[in-house]
Each structure stands twice: as C-alpha cells, then as structure tokens.
Amino acid sequence: MVYLHPYEYVYFNQLIGGNRGAEERFETDYWAISYREATARLVYFLNQEGREAGNTYKIGVCYNVPRIVYYLPAYITVSADIRKADFFIGPARGECHKMIKTDDLFHVERFGVPLTVVKDLRHLK
C-alpha cells in the first residue's frame, strides 16, 4: 500500500493478477486523484520548457473535469473542445486518449500500470 500512495484505492489483489491484471479489466483510478500529480508534472514541464510570463494554455480533459480544475494554475484553463487544446489529460483506461494520435508526453503510474495520460497537442494544431 505504501508504494501506491496516495492512490491506495487502486490496489487489486493477486486473485486477478494484481494491478497488472486489473489494468484493462477494471477502472483503476476511479476518483481521478492522479490528475493532481499529472497537473503538477505538466506545470513542471512547462517551467522547464521556459514558459514565458503571460502565456496561457488550454487542456482537454476526458471525464472528471471538476476534479482537475481545482489543481490548475491560473494560466491553464480547460477547453471544451479537445481539438483546440494545447495539452490533454485523461484516464489511461478507456478509449478517449487512444483517439488522440500522438505519443504520451508522460503518464502517472503505479506498479507499472498507467493511471493518467498527458499528451502534448500543440504540434497537432
């Protein structure tokens, strides 16, 4: 459980193969708490990239939009249209992120199982 922190609720026992066995069969991060870590890593990425003061970004989100809004700094807003977004944040399970044909920028994972996917969409515009 310590290795899953703060996502202890994504634990699956060995009867189904642990988290690896649950990866495609069950919703793992159903509370979307890993959006917080994904957002923090995106902010760090933008700062490392040399984000200029005054630049704003839009993110597209699949599911749980209210959860991510809480974690966003003022210069990042949620776009209702993913096609107009600069970045994408969404659950690793499901079809939403698979429809966006670009590589993952990074993902939040535990025990090698991705919980949340972040994609850079700026080059698709």
Side-chain angles (χ1 to χ4, degrees):
M1 297 302 275
V2 171
Y3 295 113
L4 290 171
H5 183 73
Y7 317 117
E8 291 89 353
Y9 62 92
V10 304
Y11 170 79
F12 286 87
N13 66 37
Q14 292 304 316
L15 291 174
I16 60 159
N19 285 57
R20 279 268 186 226
E23 181 176 7
E24 291 298 324
R25 296 170 48 200
F26 300 99
E27 186 61 57
T28 50
D29 189 16
Y30 48 87
W31 285 342
I33 303 299
S34 61
Y35 279 16
R36 177 182 182 196
E37 184 176 338
T39 302
R41 289 180 64 186
L42 178 59
V43 167
Y44 179 80
F45 170 80
L46 291 172
N47 289 333
Q48 291 298 103
E49 189 179 63
R51 180 185 76 84
E52 295 178 25
N55 280 6
T56 60
Y57 301 94
K58 293 182 181 181
I59 59 166
V61 179
C62 276
Y63 322 116
N64 296 307
V65 173
R67 298 216 184 204
I68 199 162
V69 172
Y70 178 76
Y71 304 123
L72 296 176
Y75 62 88
I76 300 177
T77 59
V78 175
S79 173
D81 185 352
I82 291 176
R83 294 171 295 181
K84 294 180 182 176
D86 300 303
F87 296 94
F88 166 83
I89 296 179
R93 186 172 186 274
E95 296 300 316
C96 188
H97 78 91
K98 293 175 184 174
M99 294 186 300
I100 302 169
K101 302 298 182 197
T102 188
D103 293 334
D104 297 351
L105 183 59
F106 58 84
H107 54 270
V108 176
E109 67 176 43
R110 289 299 185 272
F111 290 135
V113 176
L115 302 174
T116 297
V117 174
V118 178
K119 295 180 180 244
D120 188 340
L121 309 179
R122 294 174 294 180
H123 66 282
L124 299 177
K125 291 181 175 185

Short mmCIF file of all heavy atoms in Angstrom, two decimals, residues 89-112:
data_model
loop_
_atom_site.label_atom_id
_atom_site.label_comp_id
_atom_site.label_asym_id
_atom_site.label_seq_id
_atom_site.Cartn_x
_atom_site.Cartn_y
_atom_site.Cartn_z
N ILE A 89 -5.19 15.74 -20.75
CA ILE A 89 -5.04 14.95 -19.53
C ILE A 89 -6.28 14.08 -19.40
O ILE A 89 -7.40 14.58 -19.45
CB ILE A 89 -4.88 15.83 -18.27
CG1 ILE A 89 -3.60 16.65 -18.36
CG2 ILE A 89 -4.87 14.97 -17.01
CD1 ILE A 89 -3.37 17.57 -17.18
N GLY A 90 -6.07 12.79 -19.23
CA GLY A 90 -7.22 11.90 -19.08
C GLY A 90 -6.81 10.55 -18.54
O GLY A 90 -5.62 10.24 -18.40
N PRO A 91 -7.80 9.72 -18.25
CA PRO A 91 -7.52 8.40 -17.68
C PRO A 91 -6.81 7.51 -18.70
O PRO A 91 -7.06 7.60 -19.91
CB PRO A 91 -8.90 7.85 -17.34
CG PRO A 91 -9.84 8.61 -18.21
CD PRO A 91 -9.23 9.95 -18.45
N ALA A 92 -5.92 6.68 -18.22
CA ALA A 92 -5.18 5.78 -19.11
C ALA A 92 -6.08 4.66 -19.62
O ALA A 92 -5.82 4.11 -20.69
CB ALA A 92 -3.98 5.20 -18.37
N ARG A 93 -7.08 4.34 -18.89
CA ARG A 93 -8.00 3.29 -19.31
C ARG A 93 -9.11 3.91 -20.14
O ARG A 93 -9.56 5.02 -19.89
CB ARG A 93 -8.60 2.59 -18.09
CG ARG A 93 -9.44 1.39 -18.47
CD ARG A 93 -9.84 0.61 -17.24
NE ARG A 93 -10.52 -0.59 -17.61
CZ ARG A 93 -11.83 -0.66 -17.85
NH1 ARG A 93 -12.56 0.42 -17.76
NH2 ARG A 93 -12.39 -1.80 -18.18
N GLY A 94 -9.56 3.20 -21.12
CA GLY A 94 -10.64 3.71 -21.95
C GLY A 94 -10.14 4.16 -23.31
O GLY A 94 -8.96 4.07 -23.63
N GLU A 95 -11.06 4.64 -24.10
CA GLU A 95 -10.75 4.97 -25.49
C GLU A 95 -10.41 6.43 -25.73
O GLU A 95 -9.85 6.77 -26.76
CB GLU A 95 -11.96 4.60 -26.37
CG GLU A 95 -12.27 3.12 -26.37
CD GLU A 95 -11.10 2.29 -26.88
OE1 GLU A 95 -10.49 2.67 -27.90
OE2 GLU A 95 -10.80 1.26 -26.26
N CYS A 96 -10.72 7.31 -24.82
CA CYS A 96 -10.58 8.73 -25.06
C CYS A 96 -9.17 9.12 -25.48
O CYS A 96 -8.97 9.74 -26.52
CB CYS A 96 -11.01 9.53 -23.83
SG CYS A 96 -11.07 11.30 -24.14
N HIS A 97 -8.17 8.74 -24.71
CA HIS A 97 -6.79 9.13 -25.05
C HIS A 97 -6.28 8.40 -26.27
O HIS A 97 -5.40 8.89 -26.98
CB HIS A 97 -5.85 8.96 -23.85
CG HIS A 97 -5.43 7.55 -23.61
ND1 HIS A 97 -4.31 7.02 -24.18
CD2 HIS A 97 -5.99 6.56 -22.88
CE1 HIS A 97 -4.17 5.76 -23.80
NE2 HIS A 97 -5.18 5.47 -23.01
N LYS A 98 -6.84 7.24 -26.58
CA LYS A 98 -6.39 6.47 -27.74
C LYS A 98 -6.83 7.12 -29.05
O LYS A 98 -6.24 6.89 -30.09
CB LYS A 98 -6.90 5.04 -27.65
CG LYS A 98 -6.28 4.28 -26.50
CD LYS A 98 -6.87 2.90 -26.36
CE LYS A 98 -6.29 2.21 -25.13
NZ LYS A 98 -6.94 0.94 -24.87
N MET A 99 -7.89 7.93 -28.99
CA MET A 99 -8.36 8.62 -30.19
C MET A 99 -7.43 9.76 -30.59
O MET A 99 -7.47 10.22 -31.73
CB MET A 99 -9.78 9.16 -29.97
CG MET A 99 -10.81 8.06 -29.81
SD MET A 99 -12.50 8.67 -29.72
CE MET A 99 -12.44 9.71 -28.29
N ILE A 100 -6.60 10.22 -29.68
CA ILE A 100 -5.67 11.31 -29.96
C ILE A 100 -4.37 10.67 -30.45
O ILE A 100 -3.65 10.05 -29.68
CB ILE A 100 -5.43 12.18 -28.72
CG1 ILE A 100 -6.76 12.74 -28.22
CG2 ILE A 100 -4.44 13.28 -29.02
CD1 ILE A 100 -6.68 13.39 -26.87
N LYS A 101 -4.11 10.80 -31.71
CA LYS A 101 -3.00 10.10 -32.35
C LYS A 101 -1.68 10.86 -32.19
O LYS A 101 -1.17 11.47 -33.11
CB LYS A 101 -3.30 9.87 -33.84
CG LYS A 101 -4.55 9.10 -34.09
CD LYS A 101 -4.48 7.72 -33.50
CE LYS A 101 -5.75 6.93 -33.82
NZ LYS A 101 -5.93 5.80 -33.01
N THR A 102 -1.16 10.82 -30.99
CA THR A 102 0.17 11.35 -30.70
C THR A 102 0.72 10.60 -29.49
O THR A 102 -0.05 10.00 -28.73
CB THR A 102 0.13 12.88 -30.46
OG1 THR A 102 1.46 13.37 -30.37
CG2 THR A 102 -0.64 13.23 -29.20
N ASP A 103 2.00 10.63 -29.33
CA ASP A 103 2.63 9.93 -28.21
C ASP A 103 2.30 10.60 -26.89
O ASP A 103 2.01 11.80 -26.84
CB ASP A 103 4.15 9.91 -28.38
CG ASP A 103 4.58 9.06 -29.57
OD1 ASP A 103 3.83 8.14 -29.95
OD2 ASP A 103 5.66 9.33 -30.12
N ASP A 104 2.38 9.82 -25.83
CA ASP A 104 2.20 10.36 -24.49
C ASP A 104 3.39 11.24 -24.15
O ASP A 104 4.54 10.88 -24.42
CB ASP A 104 2.11 9.25 -23.45
CG ASP A 104 0.91 8.33 -23.66
OD1 ASP A 104 0.05 8.65 -24.50
OD2 ASP A 104 0.84 7.30 -22.98
N LEU A 105 3.12 12.39 -23.55
CA LEU A 105 4.18 13.23 -23.01
C LEU A 105 4.73 12.54 -21.76
O LEU A 105 5.93 12.39 -21.59
CB LEU A 105 3.65 14.62 -22.69
CG LEU A 105 4.61 15.66 -22.19
CD1 LEU A 105 5.72 15.90 -23.20
CD2 LEU A 105 3.88 16.96 -21.90
N PHE A 106 3.82 12.10 -20.91
CA PHE A 106 4.15 11.29 -19.74
C PHE A 106 2.86 10.73 -19.19
O PHE A 106 1.77 11.09 -19.64
CB PHE A 106 4.93 12.07 -18.68
CG PHE A 106 4.23 13.28 -18.16
CD1 PHE A 106 3.29 13.19 -17.15
CD2 PHE A 106 4.51 14.54 -18.69
CE1 PHE A 106 2.64 14.31 -16.68
CE2 PHE A 106 3.86 15.67 -18.23
CZ PHE A 106 2.92 15.55 -17.22
N HIS A 107 2.97 9.85 -18.25
CA HIS A 107 1.79 9.34 -17.56
C HIS A 107 2.12 9.10 -16.09
O HIS A 107 3.26 8.91 -15.72
CB HIS A 107 1.23 8.08 -18.22
CG HIS A 107 2.22 6.98 -18.41
ND1 HIS A 107 2.99 6.85 -19.53
CD2 HIS A 107 2.59 5.97 -17.60
CE1 HIS A 107 3.77 5.80 -19.42
NE2 HIS A 107 3.55 5.25 -18.25
N VAL A 108 1.08 9.15 -15.28
CA VAL A 108 1.19 8.85 -13.86
C VAL A 108 0.91 7.37 -13.73
O VAL A 108 -0.08 6.87 -14.27
CB VAL A 108 0.17 9.68 -13.04
CG1 VAL A 108 0.22 9.28 -11.57
CG2 VAL A 108 0.41 11.16 -13.22
N GLU A 109 1.77 6.65 -13.03
CA GLU A 109 1.59 5.21 -12.91
C GLU A 109 1.95 4.73 -11.52
O GLU A 109 2.66 5.40 -10.77
CB GLU A 109 2.43 4.48 -13.94
CG GLU A 109 3.92 4.60 -13.72
CD GLU A 109 4.73 3.77 -14.69
OE1 GLU A 109 4.42 3.75 -15.89
OE2 GLU A 109 5.70 3.14 -14.23
N ARG A 110 1.46 3.55 -11.21
CA ARG A 110 1.84 2.83 -10.01
C ARG A 110 1.98 1.36 -10.40
O ARG A 110 1.14 0.83 -11.12
CB ARG A 110 0.81 2.97 -8.88
CG ARG A 110 0.76 4.36 -8.26
CD ARG A 110 2.10 4.74 -7.61
NE ARG A 110 2.07 6.00 -6.91
CZ ARG A 110 2.29 7.19 -7.44
NH1 ARG A 110 2.56 7.31 -8.73
NH2 ARG A 110 2.26 8.28 -6.71
N PHE A 111 3.04 0.72 -9.92
CA PHE A 111 3.36 -0.68 -10.24
C PHE A 111 3.39 -0.91 -11.74
O PHE A 111 3.00 -1.96 -12.23
CB PHE A 111 2.37 -1.66 -9.59
CG PHE A 111 2.49 -1.75 -8.10
CD1 PHE A 111 1.36 -1.74 -7.31
CD2 PHE A 111 3.72 -1.84 -7.49
CE1 PHE A 111 1.46 -1.83 -5.93
CE2 PHE A 111 3.83 -1.93 -6.10
CZ PHE A 111 2.69 -1.93 -5.33
N GLY A 112 3.82 0.10 -12.50
CA GLY A 112 3.92 -0.03 -13.94
C GLY A 112 2.59 0.07 -14.68
O GLY A 112 2.54 -0.13 -15.88
#
